[in-house]
C-alpha cells in the first residue's frame, strides 16, 4: 500500500484573503460542509483574532463539521493563540496553526521595533524564542499544533532548520514550510524539504507540510516536488484562490497524485468525484470565476474540438484523455426541471447536487424556482445553483426589493424607479443613469442613503440562449470593509439591482460589528 499524503484545505483562510473577497459565517459553513464531503483531512477555517466575524465563522465550522480536523491560524502572539483555542473549543479534532517569519527579509522587515533586538542576529534569537513559546502555548489548547516558518522558501537554511527543530521540541506535530512569496522553483523547493529531513534530528516526530504560492505559476509543481521529497501534507485552496496569484490548486495536486500514482507512489483520501462541485461552490460564493482552460475543473478541461482530437477521442477515449470527467464529478445531467416539478423533485435534484436544505430554505428556493421555470422553458442544474446562492440569505435582509421599473431605449434617458421594503415601511425613489443598470444602482443608493462604493461589477450568463439567467456579482466597499453581493435572474437589470442590495445587506450587517485589531 502506498503512503498517504494528508490534504489541508485553506480556502476559508488563505483563499479568502484573495483581493476583494469576503465570506460570511454561513457561506464558510456551506464550503466547509462540501470540503467534508470532499474528504479533505484538515479544514483551515479562518484566523479568529483578525475579526469577530472570523472568530464566529471558526466557531460555527468547529461546532458543525465532523470528520476533518478543524484548524485556526494565529501569529506567534498569545492573544491570537488564545483566540484560536476559544474558537476551536467545540471542534471534534482541533488544530492550531501558529508561526512566525523565518527569512531575514521577514525578520528585519516585520520586526523592526527594537524590543525584538537591535541587530538582525539579536532579532533572530528573539524570534526563535517567540516560535517556541507560541507552540508551547498552543499545546495548552490543542494536542495537534502545526508550526509555520513563514517565508521558509527564502530563509537561511541553517536558521530554518534550527527553528523547525525547536518547534518540534516544543510540541509541534506538523511543520509547515511555506513558500510564502512563490519564489522557489521545484528542484530547489524539493531540495529544501529533503535537507530538512536530513539535517533536522527530530524531524521524524512531525509531519512535513508544503504550502506554496503561485506568483511564478509554480505552486502546484513545487508542492508535488515537496511530496516527492518526503512531505506528507499538502496545503492549498480550491481553484487555487488566494493572496496575489493564489495558492496551490488542490484539485490539481490531488488529480496529479492520483493520475500519476505510478510516479508519485502516494495517495490521498480525497473523494475526487466531489472536486467539480466544490470548485463551483467556491467560485460562486467567492465571486471568482474559474477560467475555461483551468486544469481539472475548467469548463473546457474535458472538451475536444479539433477534428483530429475529436476523431481520436471518439475511437478511443484514452487517446486524448488522461482523466475521465466523471472522475472529478462532471456528470452530463440532462434532467430538466419544469414548473410542474414539485418540491420533492426539487429537493431530490438539489441533494444530488450536494445541497441539503432545511424545510424553510427549500420553500424559499421552490418559490424562486417556480418564478424562473415560468420564464424559462428548461431549468438546468446551473440555474438551480444560481437560485440557491441567490435566495438563501445568510444574514437578515435589511432591504428587500419590492418593485423595480426601468425606462430605457436608444433615445431615452435611462431612468429607474425602485421601492424597497425595510423593517418599518417602504423606501422609494427614482434616478437617472448612464445605462439601466447604473440608473437602478443609483436609485437604490439614493433611497438607502448608502455611502458604499461599487468597486467591481461582473455579469455572466449561467446557461446559454437568450432566455438564460444572468448572474451578477458586485464588490462593494464602505469604511474599509468589502463584501461580495450576488444575484441571478432572467432579467439582468433585476439581477443587478438584487446583487447591489445583497451587498448593501451584507455591509449593513458587517458595519454594526466592531473590528478587532490584528
Ligand atoms: O503563505 C504563508 O506563509 C501562510 C502562512 C500564514 C501559513 O499562509
Ligand atoms: Zn499562504
Amino acid at each position: 500500500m502506498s503512503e498517504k499524503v494528508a490534504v489541508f484545505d485553506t480556502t476559508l483562510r488563505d483563499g479568502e484573503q484573495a483581493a476583494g473577497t469576503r465570506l460570511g459565517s454561513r457561506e464558510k459553513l456551506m464550503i466547509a460542509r462540501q470540503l467534508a464531503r470532499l474528504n479533505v483531512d484538515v479544514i483551515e477555517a479562518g484566523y479568529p483574532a483578525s475579526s469577530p466575524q472570523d472568530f464566529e465563522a471558526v466557531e460555527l465550522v468547529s461546532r458543525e463539521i465532523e470528520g476533518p480536523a478543524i484548524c485556526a491560524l494565529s501569529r506567534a502572539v498569545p492573544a491570537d493563540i488564545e483566540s484560536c483555542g476559544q474558537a476551536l473549543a467545540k471542534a471534534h479534532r482541533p488544530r492550531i496553526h501558529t508561526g512566525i517569519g523565518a527569512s531575514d527579509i521577514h525578520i528585519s522587515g516585520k520586526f523592526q521595533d527594537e524590543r525584538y533586538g537591535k541587530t538582525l542576529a539579536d532579532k533572530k534569537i528573539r524570534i526563535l524564542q517567540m516560535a517556541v513559546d507560541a507552540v508551547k502555548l498552543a499545546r495548552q489548547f490543542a494536542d495537534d499544533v502545526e508550526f509555520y516558518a513563514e517565508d521558509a522558501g527564502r530563509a537561511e537554511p541553517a536558521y530554518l532548520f534550527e527553528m523547525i527543530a525547536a518547534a518540534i521540541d516544543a510540541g509541534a506535530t506538523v511543520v509547515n514550510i511555506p513558500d510564502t512569496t512563490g519564489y522557489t522553483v521545484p528542484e530547489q523547493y524539493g531540495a529544501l524539504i529533503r535537507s530538512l529531513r536530513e539535517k533536522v534530528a527530530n524531524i521524524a516526530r512531525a509531519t512535513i507540510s508544503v504550502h506554496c504560492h503561485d506568483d511564478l505559476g509554480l505552486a502546484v509543481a513545487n508542492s508535488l516536488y515537496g511530496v516527492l521529497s518526503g512531505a506528507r501534507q499538502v496545503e492549498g485552496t480550491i481553484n487555487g484562490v488566494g493572496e496575489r496569484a493564489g495558492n496551490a490548486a488542490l484539485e490539481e495536486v490531488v488529480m496529479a497524485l492520483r493520475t500519476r500514482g505510478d510516479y508519485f507512489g502516494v495517495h490521498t483520501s480525497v473523494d475526487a468525484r466531489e472536486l467539480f462541485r466544490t470548485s463551483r461552490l467556491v467560485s460562486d460564493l467567492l465571486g471568482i470565476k474559474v477560467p475555461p482552460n483551468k486544469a481539472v475543473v475548467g469548463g473546457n478541461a474535458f472538451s475536444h474540438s479539433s477534428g483530429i482530437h475529436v476523431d481520436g477521442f471518439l475511437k478511443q477515449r484514452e487517446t486524448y484523455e488522461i482523466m475521465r470527467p466523471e472522475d472529478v464529478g462532471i456528470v452530463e445531467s440532462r434532467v430538466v426541471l419544469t414548473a410542474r416539478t414539485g418540491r420533492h423533485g426539487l429537493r431530490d435534484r438539489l441533494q444530488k447536487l450536494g445541497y441539503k436544505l432545511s424545510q424553510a430554505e427549500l420553500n424559499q428556493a421552490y418559490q424562486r424556482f417556480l418564478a424562473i421555470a415560468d420564464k424559462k422553458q428548461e431549468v438546468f442544474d446551473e440555474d438551480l445553483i444560481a437560485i440557491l446562492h441567490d435566495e438563501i440569505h445568510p444574514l437578515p435582509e435589511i432591504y428587500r426589493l419590492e418593485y423595480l421599473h426601468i425606462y430605457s431605449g436608444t433615445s431615452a434617458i435611462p431612468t429607474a424607479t425602485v421601492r424597497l421594503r425595510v423593517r418599518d415601511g417602504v423606501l422609494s425613489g427614482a434616478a437617472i443613469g448612464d445605462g439601466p443598470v447604473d440608473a437602478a444602482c443609483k436609485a437604490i443608493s439614493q433611497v438607502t442613503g448608502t455611502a458604499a462604493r461599487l468597486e467591481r461589477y461582473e455579469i455572466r450568463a449561467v446557461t446559454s440562449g437568450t432566455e438564460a439567467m444572468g448572474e451578477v456579482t458586485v464588490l462593494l466597499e464602505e469604511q474599509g470593509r468589502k463584501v461580495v453581493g450576488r444575484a441571478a435572474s432572467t432579467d439582468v437589470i433585476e439581477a443587478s439591482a438584487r446583487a447591489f442590495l445583497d451587498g448593501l445587506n451584507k455591509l449593513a450587517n458587517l458595519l454594526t460589528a466592531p473590528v478587532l485589531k490584528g
Side-chain angles (χ1 to χ4, degrees):
M1 185 63 178
S2 66
E3 267 185 72
K4 175 176 159 164
V5 171
V7 173
F8 177 114
D9 180 280
T10 181
T11 307
L12 301 180
R13 199 278 299 170
D14 224 349
E16 206 224 9
Q17 287 174 215
T21 58
R22 280 297 165 269
L23 293 171
S25 301
R26 177 70 199 283
E27 291 163 322
K28 280 200 171 188
L29 183 59
M30 278 170 86
I31 294 178
R33 285 210 172 104
Q34 182 54 32
L35 291 171
R37 277 184 217 117
L38 183 64
N39 208 26
V40 299
D41 297 277
V42 186
I43 296 175
E44 186 164 54
Y47 171 18
S50 66
S51 71
Q53 291 74 39
D54 230 32
F55 183 94
E56 184 192 299
V58 175
E59 223 180 10
L60 183 67
V61 170
S62 299
R63 220 174 29 236
E64 298 286 325
I65 303 293
E66 288 180 31
I70 305 300
C71 178
L73 185 88
S74 77
R75 296 167 299 174
V77 170
D80 275 27
I81 297 166
E82 281 152 20
S83 180
C84 284
Q86 286 155 14
L88 291 169
K90 295 264 160 49
H92 298 261
R93 291 167 53 214
R95 176 182 293 184
I96 295 181
H97 190 188
T98 189
I100 200 157
S103 67
D104 289 1
I105 301 177
H106 271 232
I107 294 171
S108 53
K110 288 167 70 171
F111 300 94
Q112 290 180 7
D113 196 311
E114 288 204 351
R115 77 190 141 112
Y116 297 108
K118 283 204 169 73
T119 63
L120 178 62
D122 291 346
K123 287 182 197 291
K124 285 172 99 163
I125 294 168
R126 176 86 189 96
I127 296 303
L128 199 64
Q129 189 56 48
M130 285 171 72
V132 167
D133 293 346
V135 173
K136 284 188 178 156
L137 180 61
R139 279 300 299 258
Q140 291 179 21
F141 294 97
D143 291 338
D144 190 7
V145 171
E146 175 167 338
F147 174 76
Y148 66 85
E150 198 179 8
D151 202 21
R154 291 189 297 172
E156 180 212 336
Y159 181 68
L160 175 68
F161 301 155
E162 194 184 348
M163 185 182 259
I164 295 297
I168 296 173
D169 273 343
T173 46
V174 180
V175 286
N176 180 9
I177 313 299
D179 182 23
T180 305
T181 53
Y183 179 73
T184 63
V185 293
E187 285 267 6
Q188 188 189 14
Y189 189 67
L192 179 64
I193 303 297
R194 257 195 320 278
S195 43
L196 207 69
R197 293 176 69 209
E198 287 160 11
K199 305 255 168 64
V200 176
N202 57 4
I203 197 72
R205 290 188 354 227
T207 302
I208 301 177
S209 186
V210 287
H211 177 115
C212 299
H213 280 267
D214 210 28
D215 300 67
L216 294 174
L218 294 171
V220 170
N222 284 346
S223 304
L224 294 173
Y225 240 91
V227 169
L228 274 178
S229 310
R232 286 297 172 261
Q233 178 177 281
V234 185
E235 308 194 2
T237 60
I238 298 297
N239 301 334
V241 293
E243 289 268 14
R244 307 181 310 278
N247 291 58
L250 276 185
E251 65 279 4
E252 294 178 21
V253 173
V254 165
M255 288 315 284
L257 293 180
R258 184 180 143 139
T259 310
R260 296 306 314 275
D262 60 320
Y263 183 75
F264 291 103
V266 293
H267 69 279
T268 73
S269 298
V270 163
D271 180 353
R273 289 163 308 177
E274 295 292 337
L275 283 172
F276 185 70
R277 228 192 316 270
T278 316
S279 160
R280 288 302 176 268
L281 181 69
V282 167
S283 159
D284 280 340
L285 293 183
L286 281 178
I288 299 178
K289 277 184 245 157
V290 177
N293 60 333
K294 166 87 181 57
V296 180
V297 290
N300 293 346
F302 294 93
S303 305
H304 306 271
S305 56
S306 85
I308 297 172
H309 285 214
V310 172
D311 183 56
F313 171 76
L314 290 176
K315 284 181 180 142
Q316 194 178 350
R317 189 176 182 153
E318 292 77 22
T319 49
Y320 288 100
E321 236 173 52
I322 58 166
M323 301 170 273
R324 295 172 310 166
E326 54 270 35
D327 293 342
V328 298
I330 300 177
V331 276
E332 264 298 308
S333 161
R334 290 303 306 165
V335 179
V336 177
L337 303 179
T338 69
R340 283 181 300 283
T341 306
R343 271 187 187 71
H344 186 73
L346 181 66
R347 181 197 289 267
D348 188 59
R349 188 73 210 132
L350 288 172
Q351 267 176 5
K352 288 204 172 83
L353 289 171
Y355 293 88
K356 277 201 190 121
L357 301 193
S358 68
Q359 193 57 42
E361 288 170 335
L362 179 70
N363 290 344
Q364 219 177 328
Y366 185 62
Q367 292 313 319
R368 196 61 204 291
F369 159 73
L370 283 182
I372 301 290
D374 256 0
K375 290 186 192 157
K376 286 187 86 199
Q377 288 170 352
E378 301 174 313
V379 180
F380 295 99
D381 288 352
E382 293 89 336
D383 297 325
L384 282 185
I385 292 170
I387 292 173
L388 212 65
H389 294 161
D390 184 15
E391 198 57 27
I392 309 299
H393 293 283
L395 297 166
E397 270 190 301
I398 291 157
Y399 308 111
R400 191 171 176 83
L401 185 66
E402 241 185 27
Y403 170 91
L404 171 68
H405 177 82
I406 298 290
Y407 176 72
S408 182
T410 46
S411 53
I413 297 175
T415 311
T417 310
V418 293
R419 188 168 66 228
L420 308 181
R421 166 97 10 219
V422 288
R423 200 171 357 148
D424 305 324
V426 291
L427 297 172
S428 54
I432 58 169
D434 286 340
V437 170
D438 187 45
C441 293
K442 283 197 172 129
I444 292 171
S445 292
Q446 208 174 84
V447 301
T448 56
T450 178
R453 230 167 29 87
L454 181 67
E455 281 202 353
R456 196 175 77 204
Y457 171 91
E458 274 171 24
I459 182 162
R460 77 173 178 107
V462 176
T463 47
S464 54
T466 49
E467 83 296 357
M469 290 225 294
E471 187 176 53
V472 175
T473 309
V474 297
L475 178 70
L476 301 185
E477 186 274 338
E478 189 176 350
Q479 294 174 33
R481 306 283 185 99
K482 292 186 182 184
V483 294
V484 174
R486 183 183 310 101
S489 169
T490 46
D491 176 338
V492 293
I493 301 167
E494 182 194 329
S496 306
R498 286 188 189 279
F500 194 66
L501 277 174
D502 184 43
L504 289 188
N505 279 325
K506 285 181 179 157
L507 270 177
N509 280 288
L510 202 61
L511 290 171
T512 50
V515 190
L516 290 180
K517 288 269 168 283

